[in-house]
Amino acid sequence: MRRSICTQYRSKLIAVIVAITLLSLSARAAADGLTDAEHEIQPALEDLYKARAEAFVNQDIQKLKDYYLDEKISRIALEHEHNQIQYLNKWSDKRAIQLTHSQCAIRIIRQRITGDRAVVSLVQSHRIGYMYENRFLPEQFFGVGTRHFITLKKKDGRWKVSREWYLDPLDENPKKISDGPDGLAPSVKAKSSEPPKSQKYNRKRAVEYANKYAGAAWGAGNRHRYNPKYLDYTSKGGDCTNFASQIIGDSEGGGLPARGNWRYFDRSGGTQTWVQTDSFSRFLIGSGYGKLLAKGTYEQITRPSDQYPDSAISSLEPGDLIGYILHNNDTDHFSVVVGFDDYGYPLVNSHTADRYRVPFDLGWDSETRYQLFHIRD
C-alpha cells in the first residue's frame, strides 16, 4: 500500500534512501559485471513464470496477456500457454482430479541484452499438486522440467514476451484426451510403491536412479542435473532412451550387464540400441531382459481382460518401462515406472521433457499406444 509523504523532511529522507539504494545497485552491477537492464531480467522472468504457473489452477488467461506483446509471434506464444492450461485441466476433468497447486522456479543459464531486447535461456522446474474428487486421499504432487529459449522486449517500462521456444511435455490437443470409465481407470489397483526385491535386476536402485537423475523436473535430485557420466542426447533427437538404458543398466541403477549391441562407451557414447527408441524396444524383447505385457491404447491397457483381470497396466511394477507409440508402429518415447500415487495410478520419470512422478498418460492423447515392458527379475 502506498502512503503519501507530506513533510519536506520525509521527502528528503526518501530521496536519500533512494539515492543510496541506486548507488548500491550500481555498485553491485559494476562488481558482478551486469548492467541495470540485466538486473531487471531475473525478477521480470520470475514474475512471468509465477503468473503462468498460477494460471494452471486459476485459468486466468486474461491476466497472462499483460506479459505478451500485441504481435503475431508473441500471440502464438501466448496461445501455446493457453493450450497447455486447457490440456492439463481437461485431462484432470477426465481423471476426476482437481488441480490444487502450481508453483515453479527458474534458473537463468545465459542472457544477452541489446537495447530494448533480451535473449535468455533458462531452466524451469514446475511443481503441480492435485487431489482426487470424492476420495479421501491426501494431496499428490508431481514435477516437470523444461528448458526455455525466450526473447523479451521492453515496452512501456516492462519486459514482455516477444517469442519463446521449449520442449513442452503438455503440448497436446485438449480435445483428444482418452476417456476413462468414471473418469479413471478403476482397475488400476492401489499397491505399494516400494519395489519388490529381485535377484538380477535391482528395482529399488533403478527407481532411486530415476529419481536422482530426473533432471530439471521438480523433485529430482542431483541439483536438477543429469548424470555427468553420460552424454546428453536432448539436442540429438531426445534423451529419453539414453535415460531408460541408464536406469536399467548403470551399476548405480538396475545393474543389468551390457549385452550384444546394447552398450555405452565413455568416449563415444551409447550405441544405437542404447539411445534409439525402436532399437531399444526390440532389444528388450530379443535379449530376454524385458517382456512385452501388452500394447494398446489407454482404454485397452486399463480395462480388465482374460489375461489381465486387473488390467495390463496394473501388472507393472516400479522399475518397469513404458514405451509410447505416436505414429505407425515406431516407438517415440520411453519412461520408467517409479511408483504409484495414493489412488494407485502409475507414475513415471523420463527425460525430454523431464518428468518426476508424473501420471503415466499425462502429456499424451487418445491416439497414443502404450507398450508395457516388464523387466525380468
Side-chain angles (χ1 to χ4, degrees):
M1 179 183 297
R2 293 184 178 180
R3 296 181 180 178
S4 59
I5 307 298
C6 299
T7 66
Q8 186 179 15
Y9 173 79
R10 288 185 179 181
S11 297
K12 290 182 179 180
L13 179 61
I14 293 295
V16 170
I17 293 174
V18 169
I20 292 173
T21 301
L22 290 174
L23 287 171
S24 299
L25 289 174
S26 299
R28 186 178 67 180
D32 58 21
L34 298 180
T35 65
D36 292 340
E38 287 172 321
H39 276 300
E40 295 173 1
I41 295 299
Q42 179 83 29
L45 286 170
E46 288 178 347
D47 188 38
L48 165 67
Y49 282 86
K50 179 176 182 288
R52 289 193 345 194
E54 292 173 347
F56 279 102
V57 176
N58 62 36
Q59 301 185 58
D60 188 355
I61 304 300
Q62 192 64 36
K63 180 180 178 180
L64 287 187
K65 290 183 179 180
D66 294 338
Y67 294 89
Y68 292 78
L69 298 170
D70 188 18
E71 299 175 359
K72 182 177 180 180
I73 298 179
S74 183
R75 288 196 297 269
I76 291 174
L78 176 59
E79 289 170 4
H80 178 91
E81 298 306 313
H82 188 192
N83 181 81
Q84 188 185 51
I85 292 165
Q86 284 186 313
Y87 174 85
L88 182 56
N89 280 273
K90 188 67 174 179
W91 177 87
S92 300
D93 291 342
K94 286 182 176 287
R95 302 293 176 261
I97 283 171
Q98 179 70 43
L99 297 178
T100 57
H101 177 92
S102 180
Q103 184 180 14
C104 75
I106 62 170
R107 174 168 56 90
I108 293 178
I109 306 301
R110 61 181 60 88
Q111 58 181 324
R112 185 179 75 252
I113 301 176
T114 305
D116 63 351
R117 189 172 298 271
V119 180
V120 182
S121 63
L122 62 88
V123 174
Q124 176 189 226
S125 298
H126 192 179
R127 183 193 195 206
I128 299 173
Y130 65 94
M131 295 188 71
Y132 285 97
E133 298 175 355
N134 304 318
R135 288 171 173 81
F136 295 102
L137 295 171
E139 188 176 17
Q140 317 289 311
F141 293 96
F142 65 85
V144 295
T146 44
R147 294 163 178 80
H148 297 246
F149 300 89
I150 184 169
T151 300
L152 304 174
K153 185 176 180 181
K154 195 169 189 179
K155 185 176 181 180
D156 299 328
R158 288 185 59 185
W159 290 98
K160 297 192 176 186
V161 178
S162 175
R163 65 178 67 194
E164 184 176 17
W165 179 90
Y166 62 101
L167 290 173
D168 181 5
L170 303 178
D171 185 19
E172 293 294 339
N173 188 341
K175 298 179 181 179
K176 295 175 63 176
I177 300 172
S178 300
D179 290 316
D182 300 323
L184 285 168
S187 56
V188 178
K189 290 189 172 181
K191 58 182 73 175
S192 172
S193 287
E194 182 68 23
K197 293 181 179 179
S198 57
Q199 301 298 319
K200 181 172 62 175
Y201 178 51
N202 193 317
R203 292 182 177 275
K204 185 175 186 297
R205 285 213 309 256
V207 170
E208 290 172 350
Y209 187 101
N211 288 334
K212 180 177 180 179
Y213 296 114
W218 169 86
N222 198 43
R223 297 183 298 126
H224 295 293
R225 288 165 172 80
Y226 292 173
N227 189 338
K229 285 171 51 178
Y230 296 92
L231 294 175
D232 180 357
Y233 286 83
T234 300
S235 63
K236 300 177 178 65
D239 197 62
C240 63
T241 309
N242 180 35
F243 187 44
S245 289
Q246 293 172 39
I247 290 167
I248 68 172
D250 191 280
S251 58
E252 188 183 347
L256 293 178
R259 177 180 292 182
N261 292 326
W262 181 66
R263 297 177 182 275
Y264 188 90
F265 299 97
D266 291 339
R267 293 185 178 180
S268 57
T271 60
Q272 180 175 327
T273 304
W274 183 278
V275 302
Q276 203 270 339
T277 50
D278 284 322
S279 295
F280 181 60
S281 176
R282 291 191 294 268
F283 165 77
L284 288 173
I285 300 173
S287 65
Y289 278 169
K291 176 184 178 182
L292 183 62
L293 300 179
K295 179 172 69 174
T297 63
Y298 177 87
E299 190 272 336
Q300 290 169 335
I301 65 170
T302 57
R303 72 184 178 193
S305 65
D306 292 339
Q307 185 177 6
Y308 300 108
D310 293 325
S311 82
I313 194 75
S314 289
S315 299
L316 291 178
E317 300 175 7
D320 284 341
L321 301 177
I322 299 179
Y324 298 77
I325 298 174
L326 302 182
H327 307 289
N328 301 322
N329 204 34
D330 298 331
T331 308
D332 294 276
H333 180 70
F334 266 101
S335 66
V336 60
V337 178
V338 292
F340 306 85
D341 69 11
D342 288 327
Y343 176 72
Y345 211 74
L347 306 174
V348 299
N349 287 15
S350 73
H351 283 180
T352 320
D354 298 345
R355 293 171 170 88
Y356 174 83
R357 295 184 64 81
V358 173
F360 80 96
D361 66 306
L362 180 59
W364 309 95
D365 62 25
S366 57
E367 296 179 3
T368 304
R369 285 181 295 157
Y370 303 85
Q371 297 169 298
L372 309 184
F373 291 99
H374 173 67
I375 305 302
R376 299 179 188 273
D377 299 323

